[in-house]
Amino acid sequence: MHLAVAVLLGWLAMSLVMAGLWWYQTRRGDAGIVDVAWGLGVGFLAMLFCALARQGDSTRRLLLGGLVLVWSLRLSGHIAARLRRMPEDGRYQNLREQWGSQAQRKLFGFFQLQAVWSVLFALPVLVAALNHHPFPQWTDLAGLVLWLVAIGGEALADRQLQQFRIDPQNRGRVCRSGLWNYSRHPNYFFEWLHWWVYPLMAVGAPWWGSAVAGPV
């Protein structure tokens, strides 16, 4: 299958998934499900691209697929667990209030935008998967070390925030313990850091510079 066709089919698949989830949230009254689906969608598309990028080194493609799968399951699993414990995210509550009677129509567009973003975030992985240089290059090893730091740091920050929130004495307070003592959003920082893994592993691939679009 031509890679451009795979990208198009991936977007169509995510568009249908997001349409279904939009309908689901109209019944449930919680748009937070889009955050779970976005992470899983990026993981699914990235693994699909790794499988189809036959021009690239097979070992690197296998490793990339595994790295993205672990990232996807950890992030989406964490968000899904939070959705079960808490009411709808305040961001979506505010959007419903701002949009008023147009809320559902605009939320549909918002869900479809996430389908587009899923494809765009999976593209840097595709570029890395097209890298034909034999694995491992030093950039592969650097990318793997960075992945361990980023995923470990994000998981730690999420756990620290979760422990802070479950303590009733912290209600209404800002978390300033652990990594949160040094950054307002350490989990977002490590998530952003994670997206530099794929430009590193893409070095030497055709159009490898375009993989920088992920962290940018």
Side-chain angles (χ1 to χ4, degrees):
M1 181 184 297
H2 195 278
L3 290 175
V5 176
V7 171
L8 177 60
L9 291 179
W11 167 72
L12 289 174
M14 283 303 301
S15 180
L16 290 173
V17 168
M18 288 299 181
L21 291 175
W22 170 82
W23 177 85
Y24 175 75
Q25 67 81 33
T26 64
R27 303 299 187 268
R28 189 170 181 267
D30 189 342
I33 189 68
V34 71
D35 296 324
V36 179
W38 177 83
L40 291 176
V42 173
F44 164 75
L45 292 173
M47 288 189 294
L48 174 64
F49 295 160
C50 286
L52 295 175
R54 302 291 177 83
Q55 303 96 314
D57 179 87
S58 59
T59 303
R60 183 179 293 104
R61 290 192 291 123
L62 184 63
L63 176 61
L64 282 166
L67 296 180
V68 176
L69 176 62
V70 172
W71 165 83
S72 174
L73 293 177
R74 193 215 70 82
L75 179 61
S76 294
H78 171 74
I79 296 174
R82 187 180 66 193
L83 289 179
R84 290 196 297 268
R85 297 190 308 267
M86 301 174 64
E88 183 180 39
D89 192 303
R91 295 173 299 165
Y92 301 124
Q93 293 179 16
N94 291 336
L95 287 177
R96 291 181 191 276
E97 292 178 4
Q98 293 175 17
W99 290 341
S101 61
Q102 301 294 316
Q104 288 305 333
R105 181 177 64 84
K106 291 188 175 182
L107 278 173
F108 180 82
F110 177 80
F111 272 61
Q112 289 302 311
L113 180 61
Q114 302 313 302
V116 175
W117 279 114
S118 295
V119 176
L120 294 179
F121 269 88
L123 287 179
V125 184
L126 171 60
V127 177
L130 289 170
N131 191 345
H132 63 277
H133 293 283
F135 179 90
Q137 304 290 312
W138 73 267
T139 47
D140 296 314
L141 300 178
L144 183 57
V145 170
L146 183 60
W147 185 91
L148 291 171
V149 171
I151 299 301
E154 186 176 5
L156 176 60
D158 283 339
R159 180 171 178 80
Q160 290 174 344
L161 182 60
Q162 178 183 352
Q163 292 175 334
F164 178 85
R165 282 175 169 171
I166 62 178
D167 187 346
Q169 295 182 354
N170 292 326
R171 189 180 302 275
R173 297 175 57 197
V174 176
C175 181
R176 298 188 183 278
S177 58
L179 295 174
W180 298 83
N181 185 49
Y182 305 100
S183 170
R184 183 177 180 182
H185 295 295
N187 53 346
Y188 291 168
F189 167 75
F190 283 111
E191 171 67 16
W192 172 78
L193 195 65
H194 154 259
W195 288 103
W196 284 101
V197 171
Y198 309 109
L200 274 172
M201 299 183 73
V203 172
W207 315 295
W208 72 267
S210 62
V212 177
V216 170

